[in-house]
Structures are given as structure tokens and as C-alpha cells.
Amino acid sequence: MAEFDVDLFVIGGGSGGVRAARIAAGHGARVMIAEEYRMGGTCVIRGCVPKKLMVYASHVHHEIEDAAGFGWSIPAATFDWPTLIANKDKEIARLEAAYTANVEKSGARIVKSRAVFEDPHTLRLASGEAVRAKYVLIATGGAPNHGVAIPGIEHVISSNEVFHLSALPRRIVIQGGGYIALEFACIFAGLGSDVTLIYRRDNVLRGFDEDVRAHVRAEMEKDGITILTGCTVDSIEKHGKEFTSHMSNGSSLASDQVMFAIGRHPNVANLGLEKAGVAINPGNGGIAVNGFSRTSVENIYAIGDVTHRINLTPVAIREGHAFADTVFGGRPVMVDYAEIPTAVFCQPEVGTVGLTEAQARAQFSHVDIYKADFRPIKATMSGRDTRVLMKLLVDALTDRVVGCHIVGDGAAEMVQLVAIAVKMKATKADFDATMALHPTAAEELVTMRTPSARHVREAAE
């Protein structure tokens, strides 16, 4: 009898776990992957993908309004929430089937079950079956975090439930100031809801460049979203179908839904980690790993949001691939976490890569800042009151571009390409030598010639 039933057991059928399973199977490993909910994980089932579909739906409202400036007369339009949700669900089901088929084609076996550790090599399935694995990969992702318990917390929805509401809320209160909160604030506003965003800090998008934070907030407020900063929801009362949110500043708000999007925590509960001896990182609550994603136990690895390193789907995918190549491909691969591009699909969209201005000024003694703030060409005809922000940060001693920040339509698409140049350590001279493509918003990235500001750090005495 073989000592192990499989070479690799993957806990979690999200993007990272699926990539690891497929690549490991391609290297000849016997692979089993357990998923207790739906194949595809958070990103595919109740995260990035359905969110982006709803972002597209919310954009239509602006397109209809803008049409008049271009000569189009469009009758009064109506929106049907159930149709959007049904079509979204249909597309997610298609993607889930594709994920399942791709895993099975690779030769890996899927078990639709929860799996928990009994010891470092033994997993117990919900059916009672025990599986012995030479290596185990934990890829269970994260889950919404509502924060401290407050009276009425049971009335709050998260980014899980928001995709399955039976009706579009006429009024919604959203607490949070990060990616998810801003994206859903703009989605609901675009679909016609009255939106109030509440955030405990002084401004939204903590950790982003300060100019980006200010620009996004101004644009969202111009679009009719109420943003209340420096306060929190302290309690929630339900009156029939209506909710009243009582605020820390003494005010109260009535709404049809209350959504909290204040962060996510690693999904580590009830996995039997203590039986396997897997250590938790005390600094972030995720599973502690080294540069190769190995945990405190030699044969157990962890990738993606469950490690709470950089919680982005492409990072989990890269980590899963690197793990499989390292353990089963005979080629040690360590993920490079520098210059990772990211986007916030609010309205207007945010795309960013590299350092913020504050980070650049802390890291380099001489920083040149190039900034353009302009009305996009489409708005000159549509009449929409909106502006685009573009910002480049340059290490003035080497001329290397160390950061790029864009707010405006297509920001994410632009930054994905700019990220290649930043990763290759392109200089401002390289940007300047690139011919502009006119008329585009992106041409501003290669036509900004004069720094809007220069920072020189004073030498310590």
C-alpha cells in the first residue's frame, strides 16, 4: 500500500489553488483539490468578475446621459435589477464550469467537500473519508470582516450577499473606504440608488497616492455620492423593511440596505491548523509563510489571501504557479512582489503601479513629480463635469520612473501597460522618446515635459 494517496492535496478551489493544481498535475503529480462551495473562489464567484459585470451595468446610466451631447435622443430608459442579476449568475455559472473542466483536463481530481487537517499529512473530508497527502497547499482565501460587534450587526450585508439582493435598494449606506466600498458605492449610484459612504478615517483609499485620494473623492461627490469621513456606524435598528444607522457623530441615516466593506480577514478558522502545527503570522492573522510560500510545517504551503500578504487574484495565481514549479517542477521560483499594478473600478476608475509620492520622497533624495489634470475630450461634447488625473513619479538622480497613477476612464488598461515599463526600469527619457498617440488620454503620459514639483530631501546635519 502506498504511503500517500496523492502527491498534492489543495484546500480551496479559487484562482490560486486551481492554478497550483493544474501546474502540479502538468508536472506529473497526483493531485486532489477540495472546494466546499463553488469552483472559482471569491474572485470568480462573488468578487472581481461579478463586480466588474455590475460596474459595466452602472456605466450605462452615464452613457445614456452623455448621448445627448453627441446628437442622440434616447427615450427615458428603465433598469431591471432582476435581469442584471440573472444574467450575471448565468455568466458566473459558465465560468465555474470552465474552471472545473480545466482542472479535470489537467488530470487533477476535484472533491466538492470541506477538508480539515488531522495531522500534517492527513485531511478529513466532510464525507468522513481520510486522504493522505505528501504535500498540502492551503488556498482558502479570505472572508468579509464586519469588525467589532455592534448592536444590529445582524442586519448588515457584505460583499458576499450584495450579489444576490432581491431588489435594487433605493437608498444604501456603505461603511468602508477601500476598493470594495468605493466600487459598490459607484455601482449603486450608477444604477440609481441614493448612496452614503461612511469611513472612519479622514479620506478614502488609504495607502493610495494623496492626489489620487483627493481626486477620486471629488469626482464621486460630483456624481451625487455622499461621503462622510471621520465617523462610523455605531448601531443599526430595523423598522419594517427600513434600517436606521446611528453614527458616532450623533447623526442617523435611514436606508433600505446597510453594507459593510471594511476589510477581509484570512479564512483560517476550523481548518485544523493546530493539529497540523501550522503557525499563524501574529502581525496580520494570516498563515505564516516564507518566500517560497512554505509554512512552519515542511510539507505544507499556503498561497493567496489566506497568507494576507498582497490580496490580489493575480498574486495568488502567480504564487500558486511558483509553488507548483518549486515543489513539483524542480525549478525553485520566488515571487517578486515589487511594482504590482492594481486598479479600483470605481467611477472614475483608478489605475496605479509603483510608489506613491510619499513613498518616493521617503525612499529617494531627489524626486521629480509630473502631473496633468485635464478635462477628457469626450466630456467637451457630453458636458459631463469630470476630469482626468495622471501622475508620474521620477527618481531625479537616475531618471527612472518609479510610480504612475491614473484616475479616469480606462485607467486600469493604461496602467497594465505602463507597469511593463516601470518593471523594466524605464526612465522619464524613455517615456519622452515615445511618440504620442493622438488623440488619447494616454498621450499625456509621454508629453508631460516639465515637473509640476520637485522634492529635494535636506541633508541631515
Side-chain angles (χ1 to χ4, degrees):
M1 181 177 176
E3 181 182 2
F4 300 111
D5 300 310
V6 294
D7 300 309
L8 172 64
F9 192 102
V10 180
I11 309 175
S15 297
V18 163
R19 173 60 64 89
R22 291 175 59 193
I23 300 303
H27 287 314
R30 298 170 300 154
V31 180
M32 181 179 289
I33 180 168
E35 171 54 55
E36 65 177 323
Y37 181 52
R38 298 176 67 180
M39 290 296 293
T42 295
C43 180
V44 174
I45 303 301
R46 51 192 182 193
C48 327
V49 175
K51 178 269 310 281
K52 189 70 180 289
L53 295 175
M54 294 176 76
V55 167
Y56 285 131
S58 69
H59 282 179
V60 175
H61 176 72
H62 280 172
E63 296 299 326
I64 292 172
E65 288 183 339
D66 292 350
F70 295 92
W72 289 89
S73 296
I74 299 177
T78 58
F79 168 70
D80 186 63
W81 173 266
T83 298
L84 170 63
I85 298 303
N87 289 339
K88 179 267 296 179
D89 288 344
K90 182 179 178 180
E91 173 59 12
I92 298 311
R94 184 191 71 81
L95 290 173
E96 181 187 9
Y99 262 65
T100 300
N102 287 336
V103 171
E104 292 174 339
K105 286 176 185 176
S106 75
R109 177 189 166 196
I110 298 172
V111 288
K112 299 288 290 190
S113 172
R114 182 171 180 81
V116 299
F117 284 98
E118 290 206 336
D119 62 48
H121 290 281
T122 307
L123 287 306
R124 181 71 63 179
L125 304 183
S127 64
E129 177 186 357
V131 180
R132 292 277 295 168
K134 185 175 182 180
Y135 291 97
V136 180
L137 177 67
I138 306 168
T140 50
N145 174 25
H146 282 345
V148 298
I150 61 171
I153 193 70
E154 68 274 13
H155 303 309
V156 169
I157 64 170
S158 72
S159 56
N160 287 349
E161 296 81 28
V162 73
F163 293 111
H164 304 288
L165 297 177
S166 59
L168 175 68
R170 185 168 55 89
R171 302 160 301 170
I172 186 167
V173 170
I174 301 176
Q175 178 162 264
Y179 292 74
I180 297 172
L182 266 64
E183 288 168 345
F184 275 100
C186 293
I187 286 169
F188 282 115
L191 297 177
S193 301
D194 180 2
V195 179
T196 300
L197 185 76
I198 298 163
Y199 186 47
R200 64 190 178 94
R201 295 183 182 270
D202 63 339
N203 204 0
V204 298
L205 292 180
R206 181 171 65 93
F208 282 73
D209 188 90
E210 290 298 326
D211 284 327
V212 169
R213 301 175 75 190
H215 194 96
V216 168
R217 179 172 184 169
E219 292 289 315
M220 288 177 64
E221 289 176 330
K222 279 193 283 186
D223 213 27
I225 297 172
T226 300
I227 299 178
L228 304 177
T229 51
C231 64
T232 57
V233 176
D234 280 356
S235 65
I236 302 160
E237 292 180 335
K238 185 176 182 181
H239 312 280
K241 294 183 178 181
E242 184 176 279
F243 301 96
T244 301
S245 298
H246 298 283
M247 319 295 295
S248 60
N249 62 7
S251 64
S252 60
L253 289 167
S255 66
D256 305 297
Q257 290 288 349
V258 181
M259 176 180 175
F260 277 17
I262 61 175
R264 294 173 65 83
H265 58 77
N267 191 9
V268 297
N270 303 316
L271 290 176
L273 298 181
E274 64 287 348
K275 292 183 179 180
V278 175
I280 298 296
N281 183 336
N284 63 22
I287 293 177
V289 291
N290 67 9
F292 289 100
S293 296
R294 178 183 282 174
T295 72
S296 56
V297 181
E298 187 175 3
N299 71 296
I300 301 176
Y301 290 72
I303 60 166
D305 291 9
V306 75
T307 68
H308 218 38
R309 287 178 285 186
I310 297 179
N311 297 344
L312 296 170
T313 298
V315 173
I317 292 171
R318 182 66 62 87
E319 289 171 348
H321 201 132
F323 154 78
D325 283 344
T326 298
V327 176
F328 298 102
R331 184 169 67 91
V333 178
M334 189 176 289
V335 175
D336 180 4
Y337 295 98
E339 292 98 22
I340 295 175
T342 188
V344 186
F345 293 101
C346 51
Q347 297 177 41
E349 195 170 282
V350 177
T352 180
V353 64
L355 304 178
T356 66
E357 180 179 335
Q359 290 169 336
R361 290 171 60 167
Q363 187 169 333
F364 302 105
S365 61
H366 294 65
V367 178
D368 286 347
I369 299 139
Y370 295 83
K371 187 163 57 174
D373 184 321
F374 58 93
R375 193 179 190 194
I377 189 171
K378 181 181 178 181
T380 64
M381 292 279 281
S382 71
R384 181 168 298 281
D385 180 15
T386 187
R387 299 187 69 81
V388 173
L389 170 69
M390 294 196 175
K391 185 173 182 179
L392 292 176
L393 299 163
V394 178
D395 173 9
L397 296 185
T398 65
D399 198 41
R400 183 164 67 91
V401 177
V402 296
C404 175
H405 308 275
I406 303 174
V407 183
D409 287 348
E413 303 290 350
M414 286 185 265
V415 163
Q416 174 67 88
L417 297 178
V418 173
I420 299 172
V422 173
K423 193 70 176 174
M424 293 178 69
K425 302 187 182 337
T427 64
K428 183 62 169 62
D430 293 324
F431 276 62
D432 294 344
T434 302
M435 193 71 73
L437 196 163
H438 182 74
T440 64
E443 68 182 296
E444 292 288 337
L445 295 169
V446 299
T447 58
M448 292 187 284
R449 290 291 188 268
T450 304
S452 56
R454 280 186 159 140
H455 171 73
V456 178
R457 187 188 306 150
E458 294 182 6
E461 295 183 0

